[in-house]
Amino acid sequence: MKIALNLFWIDQIGGILTFNKEIKAGLESLGHKVDPYAISLNKKILPDLLRSREYKSRDFVRILGFMKEEWLREYREIMNNYDLVIFSVPCPTRRKSFTDSRWKLCYDLKTKIIAVFHDPYLEERYAWIKDVYPKITKFVCLQEKSYYVVINSFGLLPRREVQIIRHPLNTKDLGSYEKHKESLIISAHQFKSWKRIDKLIAVIPDLKAKCSSINIEIYGDGIERTKMSGKKRSEKYKNAKGEWIWDKAVKAGMQYKGFVPEQELISAYKRARCFIDLSLGENGHKTHYPNLNYSTLEAMKYGCVIVSSPVLPPSLFTPDRNYLAVDEKNLNASLIDQIINGVFNDHRDMIELNHEILRREFSQEIVAKRLLEGI
């Protein structure tokens, strides 16, 4: 098949581009031709994070638009030459475009359409999917926290197939790797409140006091990092003594790395013994569902022991077999104990089991096959 892989202009684009790269490789391994496109509000300006992460327009065959009739005409002429159009971002989410409904015309195609949902905030960010859903051939979700929202939203979807396909992963360089002699733990996430990076940062002074040989590197950035360490800080990021948790963690030895090039982050995964993920799998209504971040999959791939909230999909991952689960009722003490457990004990069987699951459930080709089922 000849497949177009489209994404609408959004702010937080990094994980979407990773999905595009991996699913494109999977589809091409099956013999399909895949062309990625970006659909921008004004057809020219790419999202800010595309520029800051060194993505250029060459990552797409073309930048398309929908705000002028001639742009829509060009768009339709291009898309109708494909056998399948996959929207990896199914509609605009930028607030300035909320009142512009012309994006819906991007669904007026003769070809089949797949819509991919990455997050569970359907009512907040994708509410207008209800206006185009009859034109969508298939809905797919990358994990449970989006799946349960999609199948229950608007009363529109029961007659349509909604499928979890998982996030595709390049499994060619799967391995345990020779971990650095230092006892390194890392976290690599966008700083969002539900990812609870502050919970790790808050215990770093006590962790270092209990085991000074453990080193901590924090990767990523976002609005919550600014609230923790910026000029206008949020009072919620103080400890019981009224001290800023960020400042205390830095003084104790935390190293904040921010956003780094892909190869630098991969190097960190390969060096680290433990990866920390305290995310909650909540949706827009704060209902909790299983959750699996892509960075956690990457950490598994490179042989990290995962210390996590007990929300990883239970159909795939079991506490103590696949990861070290923290006790939410005694989070601080449990987190410290599980980090020390992960750093200093042999968890080779856990790492090997996770590699087996990644090959079976997350490889590019397997996910690509599931994506195309029924098309």
Side-chain angles (χ1 to χ4, degrees):
M1 278 196 295
K2 188 179 176 185
I3 300 172
L5 185 58
N6 294 350
L7 62 82
F8 278 101
W9 193 103
I10 62 172
D11 279 339
Q12 296 177 350
I13 201 77
I16 309 295
L17 285 173
T18 304
F19 170 82
N20 274 18
K21 179 179 74 172
E22 303 291 357
I23 200 64
K24 180 176 183 289
L27 291 166
E28 287 175 342
S29 73
L30 299 176
H32 303 291
K33 184 181 186 303
V34 183
D35 293 327
Y37 293 89
I39 307 173
S40 174
L41 285 176
N42 60 10
K43 199 181 175 184
K44 294 180 181 179
I45 297 177
L46 291 173
D48 290 340
L49 285 182
L50 280 177
R51 292 196 295 271
S52 66
R53 290 189 179 201
E54 300 178 355
Y55 288 102
K56 310 296 182 184
S57 58
R58 57 179 162 73
D59 289 281
F60 305 99
V61 172
R62 194 177 301 183
I63 310 298
L64 300 173
F66 60 83
M67 296 183 73
K68 293 183 179 180
E69 183 56 40
E70 60 265 33
W71 294 356
L72 275 169
R73 186 163 52 248
E74 176 194 35
Y75 167 85
R76 289 196 191 102
E77 288 175 356
I78 292 171
M79 291 299 126
N80 281 326
N81 285 320
Y82 287 91
D83 303 300
L84 174 66
V85 175
I86 300 171
F87 284 94
S88 55
V89 177
C91 60
T93 60
R94 183 112 170 121
R95 290 193 178 279
K96 70 171 65 172
S97 69
F98 280 12
T99 57
D100 192 319
S101 62
R102 281 172 288 184
W103 69 270
K104 299 173 188 176
L105 299 175
C106 293
Y107 279 83
D108 290 344
L109 302 174
K110 300 174 183 178
T111 187
K112 293 182 178 180
I113 297 173
I114 294 177
V116 180
F117 295 88
H118 293 256
D119 63 48
Y121 303 104
L122 201 67
E123 293 88 345
E124 175 187 340
R125 298 177 187 172
Y126 303 143
W128 35 77
I129 284 293
K130 65 180 180 293
D131 298 328
V132 297
Y133 91 96
K135 300 173 184 178
I136 299 173
T137 310
K138 182 179 179 180
F139 297 80
V140 299
C141 303
L142 300 191
Q143 54 182 307
E144 285 83 351
K145 70 173 185 173
S146 55
Y147 172 80
Y148 288 116
V149 177
V150 169
I151 63 173
N152 290 304
S153 292
F154 315 122
L156 298 176
L157 306 181
R159 67 183 179 84
R160 294 188 169 274
E161 180 186 6
V162 183
Q163 181 185 12
I164 297 177
I165 64 167
R166 304 299 175 188
H167 199 302
L169 192 70
N170 181 353
T171 56
K172 292 178 182 177
D173 54 346
L174 250 162
S176 296
Y177 295 93
E178 289 296 323
K179 298 301 183 179
H180 197 276
K181 289 182 179 179
E182 66 178 349
S183 301
L184 176 65
I185 68 168
I186 67 170
S187 170
H189 301 284
Q190 283 217 12
F191 279 64
K192 299 178 181 180
S193 58
W194 63 271
K195 294 196 175 181
R196 304 198 304 170
I197 304 165
D198 58 300
K199 301 299 183 183
L200 169 60
I201 290 172
V203 305
I204 287 174
D206 291 337
L207 173 63
K208 291 288 287 183
K210 192 167 185 178
C211 187
S212 61
S213 65
I214 290 179
N215 294 304
I216 304 103
E217 295 178 3
I218 307 291
Y219 293 82
D221 205 348
I223 185 63
E224 295 303 313
R225 198 275 306 165
T226 304
K227 291 179 181 179
M228 272 188 255
S229 64
K231 292 181 179 179
K232 296 182 179 180
R233 301 188 182 191
S234 171
E235 293 290 317
K236 71 178 181 178
Y237 294 125
K238 285 184 175 180
N239 62 22
K241 295 180 180 180
E243 303 164 315
W244 294 110
I245 61 171
W246 185 274
D247 295 347
K248 293 287 290 182
V250 170
K251 187 176 180 180
M254 178 186 81
Q255 299 178 57
Y256 174 61
K257 302 292 188 176
F259 280 129
V260 299
E262 183 181 12
Q263 289 305 313
E264 186 175 336
L265 182 56
I266 289 173
S267 175
Y269 287 132
K270 290 179 177 180
R271 290 185 292 113
R273 295 183 183 277
C274 268
F275 179 84
I276 316 301
D277 183 358
L278 300 178
S279 302
L280 296 175
E282 64 187 29
N283 68 9
H285 298 298
K286 308 303 180 185
T287 303
H288 290 259
Y289 295 118
N291 172 68
L292 185 57
N293 291 310
Y294 181 72
S295 55
T296 305
L297 290 174
E298 282 191 312
M300 288 181 184
K301 169 182 169 178
Y302 294 114
C304 294
V305 175
I306 308 300
V307 175
S308 175
S309 303
V311 295
L312 300 189
S315 61
L316 296 174
F317 302 105
T318 305
D320 298 324
R321 290 190 71 232
N322 301 101
Y323 66 100
L324 303 177
V326 297
D327 180 0
E328 292 289 338
K329 295 179 181 178
N330 189 23
L331 181 61
N332 289 4
S334 175
L335 177 56
I336 291 172
D337 288 345
Q338 291 291 45
I339 288 173
I340 293 173
N341 176 8
V343 167
F344 294 108
N345 291 315
D346 184 1
H347 294 284
R348 197 171 313 164
D349 290 346
M350 181 179 288
I351 292 168
E352 291 175 357
L353 178 58
N354 286 340
H355 285 171
E356 179 185 326
I357 292 170
L358 294 181
R359 290 189 191 94
R360 187 182 71 236
E361 300 290 337
F362 295 89
S363 75
Q364 297 164 334
E365 187 170 317
I366 286 172
V367 174
K369 286 179 181 178
R370 290 174 180 164
L371 178 69
L372 297 181
E373 285 176 3
I375 295 297

